[in-house]
Amino acid sequence: MKKQILLVCVCLFAFTSHSQGSSIVEGEGGKSWTLKTKSAIYQLVVSGDGLLQMSYFGDNNQEVSRIGRPLGSEVTVRGGYSAYTPMLEVIFPDRVRDLELTFDRAEITQVEGYETLILHLKDKHYPFEIAEYIRILPEYDLMEKWIEIRNTGKKGTILVENAQSGTFFLPKDSYELTHFSGIWGAEYRPQVTKLTTGLKTIQVKNLRSYTPSFFAVRPEGETAETEGKVWFGGIHYSGNFRVDLEKYPTGLLQVTGGMNFWDQEINLKPGDKFVTPKLTIGYTSEGMQGVSLNLAAYAREKILPAAHREQVRPVLYNSWYATTFSVNEEHQLALARTAKELGVEMFVIDDGWFRGRINDHGGLGDWTVDKNKFPNGLQPMIEKINEMGLDFGIWIEPEMVNPNSDLYRAHPDWVFHYPNRTRHEDRNQLMLNLAREDVYQYLYKSFHTLLKENNIKFIKWDMNKALSDPGFPSAPTDEQRAVRVKYVENLYRLIENLRSDFPDVWFEDCAGGGGRIDWGMLARMDFCWTSDNTDPVERIFIQYSYLNAYPANTMISWITHEDWHGQNHSLGYKFDVSMSGVLGVGYDITKWGDAEKKIAKEKIARYKDIRETVQFGAHYRLVSPYENNRSVLQFVNKKQTESVVFVYNLAEYPNNAIRETQQSSIVRLRGLNPAKSYKIEGFQGSFTGEYLMSRGIEFPLRGAFRSQIYKIEETL
Ligand code: DGJ
């Protein structure tokens, strides 16, 4: 009852700013805060009875000096009326299951260069404390939220049944949600759904995230690409996650995100602390374009591993589609020679190089070279590849084991399993229980040795099985259901330690295509393999969606002979599609004649000419393949002196197309300097940025499955 009364009687009150110009403004008495980004504000207030509440998240045109009526608790709990999606659910040693949190104190500090508000809350009775962190990244219109929970008692274990990273409320309105879901070969399919009364959950339960945690909420009907309010975000976590969007009968919407505690619990012993992964949330009034501009820049400039963040991504060759498991030194060298001739910079051998790996029935786990295929070992071959002027990379799948391997024969207890239960295989493999320290040590030693003994400059890290049978029988009973948390901790530790031992090595994230792409991985890997579907038309759709949330310099895209719809697409079309990310080649290029090589050389040279703008520029999704018979992408460099436009036709204009359909080829560019003048390849004269952005231009490309890349440069 108290909570309900409170919701209606908290009145507006004014306060003066303590820290003008900063992104966190504390109200008088230290009981309210306004958090400011470029275009949003987020407001919190401590109500009369000590509850921490959020009262506003949206446009910064609202009077910053006013705190409105609270919308809901800043840290929702199971306790009292339990009306809202809880962030926290715990059981105390005496079996009390309710939490009663009150505000204790706040601090404003810096976390890695950004102002961060830390809000300390305490249970009224039990030794349980929470620190909520809110880190503001104003230039990206983003905030990161996470919580630390502690058992501050001297005796007794607190059972944590749920600990989410953050929540926020939006006032009553009609909202719709955009998110992505996918399966192998069809990643990143956009889903748009109205949020009706009830709960919509986006989640992963088996460590495979073909469905990413990305969400974007808009007022219903406001779907323009370049304008309109959007609340958006995602979770920095490569394990199980969930995002809950709960719409209440009053019209209020609550969005909550963090780890998925389905079949999971954590026991906090006296003195223990648990920290959730980060939930990033943002607000823009510039539609989905605002979302993608902010999120792409955020990942590119703040999340990606610092070592390679500003380095140009190399042109890759990958052998998978050319050879599958049939790799050998002679053929790899032949591929590498041709790759070099074409302009490739990094030669990557995919699956099949290690002991017992003649097909996918054996070998995973035994990470030493197959002497039948490479009698001299890897290093002599790598030296020859290096002498050609190419760097060398290699495929690994650390987290899996084939039952047909020496590792499994020696350690059948190292995989996830329950006694008396089936061990479910997929692709003839089981999953190593990386929560175990001995498994961690084995993997660390295997890959440290591989990287130390061979001049490897690139790792493709694959993961091809979903988690099943998540038993950990050798662990103490009260740790068994925390196995997935420990697994992800050790996965991160393994990648981080290998990266710090070998800082020059590039890492590619792969999970049977794009099955594990998230900010947790992007903080540790330099780029991702978005899909095994390399059909250029399919790829146009996948890439268009992927670029909604992530930058182009993380999107590896190879051209291959794969043709999913029997349409026999031209090599030029395939190259143009792959050139809007990080270009790779995956054909058996030893079979190529002069004509193919000529196209490839020209395209790779062209990519090298435009790649800085593609890899580091802002991207604009001008024409959606989901709504048109073509797709147009534009990249603009930071100085606004160069832009690259990719035009991909999907189909001919339909017969008897009405004039309006044909006029859709006029495209208004974005992101240029309106006052500057630009020339466009293939066009006479020059155009002002203003003209190109307001009047637009028609790119004269006709015909199904044809493409063109236009470079646009400032004229001096
Ligand atoms: C799945 C990956 O997505 C492919 O690119 C390839 O590396 C295979 N695994 C190899 O087994």
Side-chain angles (χ1 to χ4, degrees):
M1 181 55 93
K2 214 175 202 178
K3 207 182 244 170
Q4 284 177 337
I5 293 168
L6 183 103
L7 284 179
V8 290
C9 75
V10 173
C11 48
L12 302 177
F13 61 92
F15 65 89
T16 50
S17 151
H18 279 191
S19 45
Q20 285 295 344
S22 76
S23 46
I24 301 176
V25 182
E26 188 170 88
E28 224 165 65
K31 291 288 174 70
S32 65
W33 300 267
T34 296
L35 316 180
K36 299 190 288 183
T37 68
K38 198 174 53 182
S39 45
I41 59 174
Y42 186 97
Q43 292 183 311
L44 298 131
V45 62
V46 178
S47 55
D49 54 358
L51 291 180
L52 179 66
Q53 317 237 21
M54 65 87 53
S55 63
Y56 179 79
F57 182 23
D59 276 317
N60 64 4
N61 56 16
Q62 142 146 348
E63 268 270 6
V64 173
S65 59
R66 296 216 158 264
I67 299 281
R69 206 169 74 180
L71 289 169
S73 244
E74 174 62 17
V75 180
T76 46
V77 297
R78 178 172 68 197
Y81 286 98
S82 294
Y84 300 109
T85 300
M87 275 178 63
L88 276 169
E89 291 167 273
V90 306
I91 305 182
F92 293 107
D94 61 3
R95 309 309 290 166
V96 166
R97 303 192 305 278
D98 263 26
L99 268 168
E100 287 193 48
L101 295 181
T102 51
F103 174 75
D104 179 31
R105 70 202 147 83
E107 335 163 27
I108 297 172
T109 182
Q110 295 269 327
V111 175
E112 288 167 20
Y114 285 96
E115 273 195 297
T116 304
L117 177 63
I118 312 178
L119 298 149
H120 296 271
L121 310 176
K122 277 182 172 169
D123 187 82
K124 272 187 179 162
H125 175 81
Y126 293 97
F128 184 68
E129 293 188 7
I130 291 152
E132 186 197 22
Y133 288 73
I134 311 180
R135 180 172 177 245
I136 321 297
L137 295 100
E139 70 271 39
Y140 307 105
D141 263 333
L142 297 175
M143 289 185 282
E144 295 168 344
K145 285 183 163 198
W146 68 99
I147 62 168
E148 253 178 38
I149 54 179
R150 271 173 209 279
N151 178 346
T152 53
K154 298 251 180 315
K155 57 179 190 333
T157 296
I158 300 172
L159 173 63
V160 179
E161 291 192 303
N162 180 24
Q164 296 298 294
S165 306
T167 195
F168 63 89
F169 290 83
L170 297 178
K172 78 170 183 203
D173 203 343
S174 291
Y175 295 102
E176 67 183 30
L177 165 73
T178 300
H179 66 110
F180 297 103
S181 75
I183 51 170
W184 178 86
E187 289 85 345
Y188 284 92
R189 300 289 137 152
Q191 312 288 327
V192 181
T193 179
K194 183 179 160 97
L195 291 168
T196 53
T197 307
L199 181 63
K200 165 83 184 172
T201 300
I202 309 167
Q203 65 176 333
V204 162
K205 298 203 291 198
N206 58 12
L207 301 186
R208 292 270 270 185
S209 53
Y210 283 112
T211 293
S213 62
F214 170 85
F215 63 87
V217 172
R218 290 181 281 186
E220 196 185 4
E222 290 186 21
T223 52
E225 169 72 11
T226 54
E227 58 188 50
K229 300 174 194 298
V230 195
W231 292 266
F232 58 98
I235 301 157
H236 297 238
Y237 196 55
S238 315
N240 290 347
F241 67 80
R242 64 184 290 156
V243 176
D244 290 310
L245 300 108
E246 186 159 12
K247 185 91 190 318
Y248 298 100
T250 56
L252 189 75
L253 178 70
Q254 182 189 4
V255 182
T256 311
M259 274 181 186
N260 195 339
F261 273 71
W262 170 80
D263 188 30
Q264 177 165 300
E265 65 186 23
I266 287 158
N267 281 283
L268 283 185
K269 305 214 168 70
D272 278 0
K273 143 178 131 171
F274 175 73
V275 185
T276 68
K278 285 178 183 169
L279 165 74
T280 289
I281 58 173
Y283 170 80
T284 176
S285 56
E286 289 169 9
M288 290 305 256
Q289 175 181 287
V291 175
S292 60
L293 282 175
N294 284 314
L295 290 185
Y298 171 57
R300 201 170 46 231
E301 294 164 11
K302 297 293 162 196
I303 295 180
L304 285 173
H308 292 144
R309 208 178 270 166
E310 276 154 31
Q311 279 181 28
V312 170
R313 271 66 179 142
V315 177
L316 308 163
Y317 178 82
N318 180 294
S319 66
W320 176 242
Y321 285 86
T323 60
T324 61
F325 301 97
S326 306
V327 290
N328 65 59
E329 180 169 335
E330 200 189 331
H331 189 227
Q332 292 295 306
L333 287 173
L335 287 168
R337 260 189 298 277
T338 311
K340 175 65 192 172
E341 194 189 329
L342 304 179
V344 166
E345 295 155 321
M346 176 74 71
F347 181 84
V348 183
I349 179 170
D350 208 279
D351 202 348
W353 60 269
F354 47 97
R355 209 150 42 88
R357 194 66 169 167
I358 44 173
N359 51 34
D360 65 10
H361 287 261
L364 286 176
D366 298 340
W367 296 108
T368 53
V369 68
D370 182 347
K371 288 280 174 112
N372 296 320
K373 295 174 178 173
F374 301 94
N376 309 312
L378 287 173
Q379 182 56 17
M381 178 184 74
I382 297 174
E383 280 164 19
K384 288 184 193 145
I385 290 174
N386 291 161
E387 276 160 25
M388 294 175 201
L390 289 167
D391 278 331
F392 178 82
I394 203 160
W395 177 96
I396 59 176
E397 188 172 3
E399 298 150 82
M400 300 298 161
V401 63
N402 286 118
N404 179 16
S405 65
D406 290 345
L407 181 69
Y408 189 74
R409 282 183 280 274
H411 300 287
D413 53 330
W414 278 14
V415 296
F416 282 108
H417 69 283
Y418 288 113
N420 314 315
R421 295 287 125 196
T422 309
R423 296 181 180 204
H424 290 90
E425 290 178 26
D426 189 12
R427 213 186 178 211
N428 315 301
Q429 60 197 40
L430 292 168
M431 195 163 184
L432 288 170
N433 180 354
L434 188 45
R436 293 175 64 115
E437 187 59 22
D438 44 12
V439 171
Y440 171 84
Q441 290 301 341
Y442 172 79
L443 293 176
Y444 173 70
K445 196 159 161 251
S446 303
F447 296 109
H448 181 90
T449 308
L450 179 72
L451 287 162
K452 190 152 188 262
E453 292 180 351
N454 301 287
N455 189 23
I456 292 170
K457 289 281 175 275
F458 180 107
I459 289 283
K460 177 178 172 187
W461 187 302
D462 204 348
M463 187 263 208
N464 282 293
K465 185 188 177 306
L467 173 64
S468 60
D469 333 307
F472 189 178
S474 59
T477 316
D478 66 350
E479 289 175 23
Q480 290 188 2
R481 293 183 87 204
V483 64
R484 299 175 186 85
V485 177
K486 188 73 193 163
Y487 179 95
V488 176
E489 256 172 51
N490 272 347
L491 171 67
Y492 286 167
R493 177 179 160 213
L494 185 60
I495 307 169
E496 282 162 15
N497 283 338
L498 291 170
R499 281 200 84 117
S500 96
D501 297 346
F502 303 97
D504 294 347
V505 178
W506 295 91
F507 280 71
E508 175 185 4
D509 166 33
C510 173
R516 187 169 60 185
I517 301 176
D518 59 80
W519 290 320
M521 275 291 140
L522 284 184
R524 294 163 180 91
M525 302 269 180
D526 303 292
F527 22 43
C528 311
W529 179 233
T530 38
S531 181
D532 278 334
N533 188 340
T534 53
D535 179 287
V537 173
E538 295 275 340
R539 204 82 194 187
I540 286 171
F541 287 87
I542 293 170
Q543 297 186 171
Y544 191 87
S545 293
Y546 180 88
L547 290 174
N548 216 311
Y550 299 114
N553 69 345
T554 63
M555 186 175 80
I556 291 184
S557 187
W558 324 317
I559 57 144
T560 76
H561 59 270
E562 293 268 303
D563 186 353
W564 287 45
H565 305 292
Q567 282 162 324
N568 194 22
H569 297 297
S570 72
L571 202 51
Y573 190 62
K574 293 179 179 183
F575 264 109
D576 286 355
V577 171
S578 290
M579 282 158 72
S580 60
V582 177
L583 176 63
V585 176
Y587 272 86
D588 185 349
I589 48 180
T590 58
K591 298 204 177 103
W592 273 4
D594 290 344
E596 285 105 335
K597 285 187 187 169
K598 182 168 179 290
I599 296 171
K601 277 185 205 166
E602 282 170 11
K603 290 291 182 184
I604 291 174
R606 170 78 156 158
Y607 179 66
K608 287 179 181 168
D609 177 43
I610 58 171
R611 73 175 154 185
E612 294 215 15
T613 297
V614 172
Q615 294 185 10
F616 300 111
H619 65 249
Y620 300 86
R621 301 168 323 131
L622 301 184
V623 177
S624 166
Y626 293 94
E627 291 159 16
N628 299 275
N629 58 3
R630 60 164 45 181
S631 174
V632 182
L633 293 171
Q634 184 197 359
F635 294 82
V636 182
N637 71 354
K638 270 220 153 128
K639 292 192 202 145
Q640 295 174 301
T641 54
E642 183 176 299
S643 177
V644 180
V645 175
F646 293 84
V647 183
Y648 306 121
N649 280 3
L650 298 172
E652 296 273 10
Y653 291 116
N655 276 343
N656 305 319
I658 54 168
R659 182 89 185 106
E660 282 70 21
T661 318
Q662 297 189 6
Q663 281 172 347
S664 71
S665 57
I666 291 176
V667 173
R668 274 176 276 281
L669 301 185
R670 300 186 203 145
L672 301 173
N673 183 334
K676 293 268 168 67
S677 138
Y678 295 90
K679 63 178 167 34
I680 306 178
E681 255 173 331
F683 285 74
Q684 296 292 325
S686 61
F687 307 84
T688 62
E690 164 71 32
Y691 179 92
L692 292 171
M693 293 192 292
S694 61
R695 284 277 298 275
I697 188 142
E698 183 174 341
F699 292 107
L701 181 67
R702 294 281 183 273
F705 309 120
R706 297 194 50 214
S707 53
Q708 189 72 47
I709 299 173
Y710 298 91
K711 187 165 158 184
I712 300 173
E713 286 170 292
E714 185 191 332
T715 54
L716 299 170

